[in-house]
Amino acid sequence: MKFLVGNWKSNGNIKEKKRLLGSLNHLKPKTKVILCLPFTLLNDTKTKIALGAQDISLYPNGAFTGDISGTMLKDLGVKYVIVGHSERRRYHHETNAIVKNKANIALQNGIIPIVCIGESEIEHKQGKTRSVIKRMLLESVPEVGKFIVAYEPRWAIGTGVTPTAKEIESIHKIIFETLKTIHCEKMPVLYGGSVNAGNTTDFIDIPHVDGFMVGRASLKSETFVPIIKNMN
Ligand code: PEP
């Protein structure tokens, strides 16, 4: 099965959520569509499309002002959570160890973590992508339990620039082989970074690409629905 994860980041409101979910209702996607919304829009998770969160606290319930714990997400019925998105790594200084810890906390609460990895533009230009990706992967994924990997080169997020299909193929092969060394090669691996309806058709059949993670294009039905249709 292919996966399509929409990441709304810090965008959207109740009206926009209703509008997008309404436009997805009549679709019968073969793809597993997961919409990762801000916490403020996760009040009603009994939707046809699976809803996910974009972060999870390192801490249990208690004196941790502003944090949303795994127990709280579980209570809401959230089934997926993004951990280690490049924006969390960059603006909140989240390390691989923190990401792994969050992934484990998600699993303890019955929530599947979507673990993001991806090299920076400098690392890409210096030819360090392979070593960076292997290390991020091995240090960020949980030891036991199900997870999803999202390979998102930082320089491709929100820029309109993507790697070539050949480059995506070669990195996804490395990810697959690295996952094999820890007996996790069955875990789905998504590509993310400036995905749109146009390039999904080029990328969907690449070996070891099990779907996509989409930011900007997931915000509106006009841009999200064509991606779902292309994946069917
Ligand atoms: C993302 O931030 O996860 C992402 C893929 O963003 P965009 O599709 O806007 O590049």
Side-chain angles (χ1 to χ4, degrees):
M1 196 204 342
K2 299 272 186 195
F3 291 80
L4 177 63
V5 177
N7 173 17
W8 271 26
K9 312 191 183 192
S10 194
N11 290 299
N13 55 36
I14 295 168
K15 205 169 144 194
E16 286 163 348
K17 173 189 161 185
K18 273 195 188 141
R19 189 172 167 260
L20 184 68
L21 289 179
S23 71
L24 302 181
N25 262 340
H26 68 283
L27 298 177
K28 293 199 172 59
K30 289 186 199 134
T31 304
K32 175 80 187 166
V33 181
I34 303 159
L35 202 55
C36 293
L37 298 172
F39 291 129
T40 52
L41 299 177
L42 287 173
N43 56 319
D44 172 20
T45 53
K46 288 190 182 56
T47 48
K48 241 179 90 183
I49 297 293
L51 297 189
Q54 299 170 15
D55 186 35
I56 184 168
S57 175
L58 279 174
Y59 307 104
N61 288 1
F64 304 101
T65 303
D67 275 24
I68 304 291
S69 70
T71 319
M72 291 170 178
L73 293 179
K74 182 182 179 182
D75 188 41
L76 280 176
V78 166
K79 296 285 184 289
Y80 299 88
V81 63
I82 297 172
V83 291
H85 189 278
S86 72
E87 288 147 17
R88 302 278 329 162
R89 291 178 184 265
R90 187 169 169 197
Y91 302 122
H92 298 269
H93 314 292
E94 293 192 0
T95 59
N96 292 338
I98 290 175
V99 175
K100 182 179 187 145
N101 213 337
K102 288 190 169 186
N104 281 325
I105 291 164
L107 287 168
Q108 283 156 21
N109 286 285
I111 299 168
I112 297 178
I114 304 168
V115 182
C116 300
I117 56 167
E119 79 285 4
S120 68
E121 188 170 12
I122 294 175
E123 289 161 343
H124 172 66
K125 284 190 174 148
Q126 291 175 341
K128 291 184 183 158
T129 300
R130 285 155 196 257
S131 57
V132 168
I133 289 305
K134 273 191 198 172
R135 186 162 173 204
M136 281 183 106
L137 185 65
L138 292 173
E139 291 183 0
S140 302
V141 298
E143 284 109 12
V144 280
K146 272 194 199 168
F147 58 88
I148 296 173
V149 175
Y151 167 58
E152 301 203 299
R154 263 162 51 186
W155 49 274
I157 294 179
T159 59
V161 180
T162 68
T164 62
K166 275 228 160 326
E167 283 171 325
I168 295 175
E169 180 171 352
S170 110
I171 302 302
H172 276 248
K173 187 161 183 270
I174 289 165
I175 294 171
F176 175 77
E177 276 159 9
T178 308
L179 286 173
K180 211 166 172 186
T181 65
I182 53 168
H183 312 291
C184 289
E185 70 275 15
K186 292 218 168 79
M187 300 304 153
V189 183
L190 319 183
Y191 167 75
S194 295
V195 167
N196 56 44
N199 56 29
T200 38
T201 43
D202 300 333
F203 298 159
I204 192 66
D205 292 324
I206 298 175
H208 307 303
V209 170
D210 301 300
F212 303 112
M213 185 163 188
V214 181
R216 184 184 298 255
S218 70
L219 291 172
K220 291 206 161 65
S221 56
E222 292 82 350
T223 44
F224 199 46
V225 170
I227 298 177
I228 300 175
K229 287 188 174 161
N230 282 350
M231 291 177 74
N232 263 354

